[in-house]
Amino acid sequence: MSNTANLELEGKTYSLPVVSGSENEKAIAIGSLRDTTGYITLDDGYGNTGSCSSKITFIDGEKGILRYRGIPIEELSEKSSFIETAYLLIYGELPDHAQLRAFSDLLTQNANLHEDMKHHFEGFPPNAHPMAILSAMINASSCFYPGLMGRANKERFDIHAARLLSQVRTIAAFSYRKSRGLPTMYPKPVYKYTANFLHMMFSEPYQDYQLKPEVVKALDLIFLLHADHEQNCSTATVRMVASSQANLFACAAAGVCALWGPLHGGANQAVIEMLQDIHESGDDGSRFIQAAKDKNSGQKLMGFGHRVYKNYDPRAKIIKVACDNLLNTLHVSDPLLDIAKHLEEAALRDDYFVSRKLYPNVDFYSGIIMRALGIPVEMFTVIFAIGRMPGWIANFKEILDDPKSRIYRPRQVYQGPTLRPYVSIDQRP
Ligand code: CMC
């Protein structure tokens, strides 16, 4: 197999190195292209661009494979927990007992926000979207812990990472309580990560939330399934910001903003809103499918399609089963689940979706689980953000640990006006 690719341009041949990944993915390294040829590559939306080499997550979109640090998502979701998986993503290996205990202790010690941060929550209007609060408050954290400012050095990385992972959940719960005019609940050291989040969301000063193991397990699974997904929009954003040597909290706040959009993490909220609309309109989904196929309708089948998966998203498969199990265990019957299943069946029979290889993605069923857990719809993307935090931190660390890391700075093909003079205001047409 050749390890160079030849490019012919204006009668000359240029050899470009071919790079192979550990799963035999092939890439043409074009780092010298502009210097040697004067040309750059153009790849709108980065569909064909490898922006980095990474050892964290592997996806084979054609086969529907997802692995964190080599371990299949199916195995992790059956045998691991969110926090153990977070450790795996960030540090590269599954922890032993002592490492896991030390990591959990660090999370517990860092769960509380700086007390003065509470005043900031007062400044948001009651209907503020929790994603806006989350991003703002993550960024504000760096003001309260001056050690966070500047680039995290390697010695301080563990504490910064633990603080972020632990506090994102505290900030998320506080923002929900604030938006409902409810008193904030402090984290309790006796609870593990996910149980503590549910406690901060739903306990009252006069009554602790009754934690059901199946509820904790279902939410832990949701976090775990969202924990990383290689170079998606928000993770690429985190890496972009990290490449300028901004601090970890600034990078994560940027990641939250990128995640918010309905084509990315915001899709989980959009899916439930779509299912609710279909339910209220009395449609079984057929009319909606017709509209989603019509480019002029401005509608898409939310929770369907993926840039990388051209097969069933493995996370969606796991979530669909978990969704059925949870609803059965809790004796919940949700009409939106029936509509979602009907939509899926209809879409997977329809040539429009089949020919474009559009399958349900992670967001299609996750909202139905979250509804059953009592999580309000405006918090769905926040749950995604909590889950994605280990992936963002792991990607940040990869840049931090790379002595050759350079600032990310794409180029462009300029299509604007060519040179022209400035015209003073009274002479403009
Ligand atoms: N409904 C209807 N048509 C669709 C959909 C959809 N959900 N997704 C893609 N298409 C069509 C698209 O219009 C295009 O058609 P044509 O070839 O005729 O122009 C074709 O399928 C290829 O799609 P694309 O827009 O080129 O795909 P993309 O890779 O640029 O976008 C996507 C990927 C996920 C943004 C898109 O599939 C989408 O908007 N899906 C709905 C939103 C969603 O569920 N997002 C969550 C993604 S998974 C979790 C995450 O990463 O956050």
Side-chain angles (χ1 to χ4, degrees):
M1 170 103 41
S2 163
N3 53 4
T4 53
N6 289 335
L7 173 70
E8 269 191 38
L9 268 177
E10 297 170 356
K12 282 194 190 162
T13 304
Y14 300 90
S15 274
L16 296 165
V18 167
V19 178
S20 286
S22 55
E23 291 284 352
N24 215 22
E25 294 160 300
K26 298 271 187 276
I28 301 167
I30 52 116
S32 62
L33 188 68
R34 189 167 177 280
D35 276 352
T36 51
T37 67
Y39 282 66
I40 60 167
T41 56
L42 180 62
D43 183 19
D44 199 17
Y46 303 129
N48 294 284
T49 295
S51 60
C52 61
S53 293
S54 176
K55 295 183 173 158
I56 304 169
T57 288
F58 171 68
I59 299 176
D60 182 329
E62 271 69 36
K63 295 190 184 138
I65 290 175
L66 168 61
R67 297 181 199 141
Y68 297 161
R69 301 282 188 186
I71 305 178
I73 193 67
E74 293 78 9
E75 255 187 275
L76 288 167
S77 50
E78 196 190 320
K79 298 176 186 162
S80 186
S81 67
F82 174 59
I83 288 308
E84 187 186 57
T85 296
Y87 186 99
L88 169 73
L89 283 167
I90 297 169
Y91 295 105
E93 294 295 338
L94 286 167
D96 61 23
H97 283 296
Q99 288 166 328
L100 186 58
R101 203 170 315 115
F103 188 52
S104 300
D105 287 350
L106 207 53
L107 294 175
T108 305
Q109 286 154 21
N110 285 286
N112 268 310
L113 304 183
H114 191 292
E115 194 58 19
D116 292 347
M117 272 183 77
K118 282 185 75 182
H119 301 303
H120 284 258
F121 286 95
E122 313 293 331
F124 294 103
N127 56 356
H129 197 288
M131 283 296 273
I133 303 181
L134 188 69
S135 161
M137 294 303 285
I138 289 176
N139 217 355
S141 300
S142 51
C143 310
F144 288 89
Y145 304 102
L148 288 176
M149 297 299 248
R151 196 180 198 207
N153 53 38
K154 289 186 189 157
E155 299 77 62
R156 301 287 297 160
F157 171 80
D158 292 349
I159 181 95
H160 291 183
R163 186 169 280 154
L164 178 57
L165 187 56
S166 196
Q167 294 192 357
V168 65
R169 155 196 70 156
T170 313
I171 294 171
F174 275 32
S175 63
Y176 164 69
R177 303 282 301 178
K178 185 78 202 97
S179 71
R180 296 285 163 110
L182 298 166
T184 45
M185 301 301 302
Y186 285 84
K188 276 194 178 182
V190 295
Y191 291 141
K192 290 195 168 156
Y193 190 92
T194 302
N196 220 343
F197 174 67
L198 285 162
H199 152 71
M200 286 189 276
M201 286 281 291
F202 300 125
S203 284
E204 297 298 342
Y206 51 87
Q207 191 174 38
D208 268 2
Y209 172 72
Q210 291 304 303
L211 288 161
K212 291 189 185 145
E214 57 273 22
V215 166
V216 179
K217 194 166 167 237
L219 185 57
D220 202 75
L221 176 70
I222 295 278
F223 285 150
L224 184 153
L225 290 172
H226 287 87
D228 195 39
H229 212 237
E230 52 118 302
Q231 301 312 312
N232 55 83
C233 177
S234 56
T235 303
T237 300
V238 167
R239 283 188 90 114
M240 169 71 84
V241 182
S243 78
S244 78
Q245 303 193 351
N247 74 66
L248 175 62
F249 280 56
C251 297
V256 171
C257 293
L259 185 73
W260 192 359
L263 298 188
H264 191 11
N268 57 14
Q269 176 171 346
V271 168
I272 287 296
E273 287 164 356
M274 170 188 81
L275 295 174
Q276 193 73 48
D277 281 353
I278 294 173
H279 181 53
E280 280 162 18
S281 70
D283 179 21
D284 64 352
S286 314
R287 266 184 283 147
F288 192 88
I289 294 232
Q290 278 312 114
K293 288 164 29 176
D294 174 5
K295 297 275 188 297
N296 298 320
S297 72
Q299 288 188 340
K300 276 184 168 181
L301 185 51
M302 299 310 285
F304 251 73
H306 198 276
R307 172 64 61 82
V308 178
Y309 291 120
K310 301 301 163 201
N311 202 323
Y312 215 109
D313 180 337
R315 302 166 300 172
K317 264 190 204 159
I318 298 169
I319 291 187
K320 189 177 176 187
V321 173
C323 190
D324 272 332
N325 291 345
L326 182 76
L327 267 59
N328 281 338
T329 315
L330 298 181
H331 306 292
V332 171
S333 149
D334 188 340
L336 300 197
L337 178 59
D338 298 333
I339 295 175
K341 284 185 174 170
H342 177 80
L343 275 180
E344 180 190 333
E345 276 164 27
L348 296 183
R349 275 196 314 264
D350 190 307
D351 187 55
Y352 175 94
F353 294 91
V354 175
S355 62
R356 288 170 178 76
K357 299 188 178 161
L358 302 171
Y359 292 87
N361 60 47
V362 67
D363 295 312
F364 197 64
Y365 288 105
S366 63
I368 298 176
I369 294 199
M370 290 193 261
R371 257 162 76 90
L373 300 178
I375 297 190
V377 72
E378 71 274 15
M379 285 294 286
F380 286 7
T381 315
V382 171
I383 300 288
F384 193 151
I386 299 173
R388 184 54 53 88
M389 200 52 78
W392 291 341
I393 295 171
N395 275 274
F396 175 93
K397 186 171 189 301
E398 222 166 43
I399 288 192
L400 184 70
D401 290 347
D402 178 3
K404 294 206 209 101
S405 158
R406 298 208 296 161
I407 191 161
Y408 283 21
R409 203 318 185 170
R411 291 193 178 259
Q412 63 169 13
V413 175
Y414 176 69
Q415 303 280 15
T418 51
L419 182 66
R420 55 183 180 151
Y422 175 85
V423 179
S424 61
I425 194 160
D426 46 353
Q427 287 174 349
R428 286 173 211 163

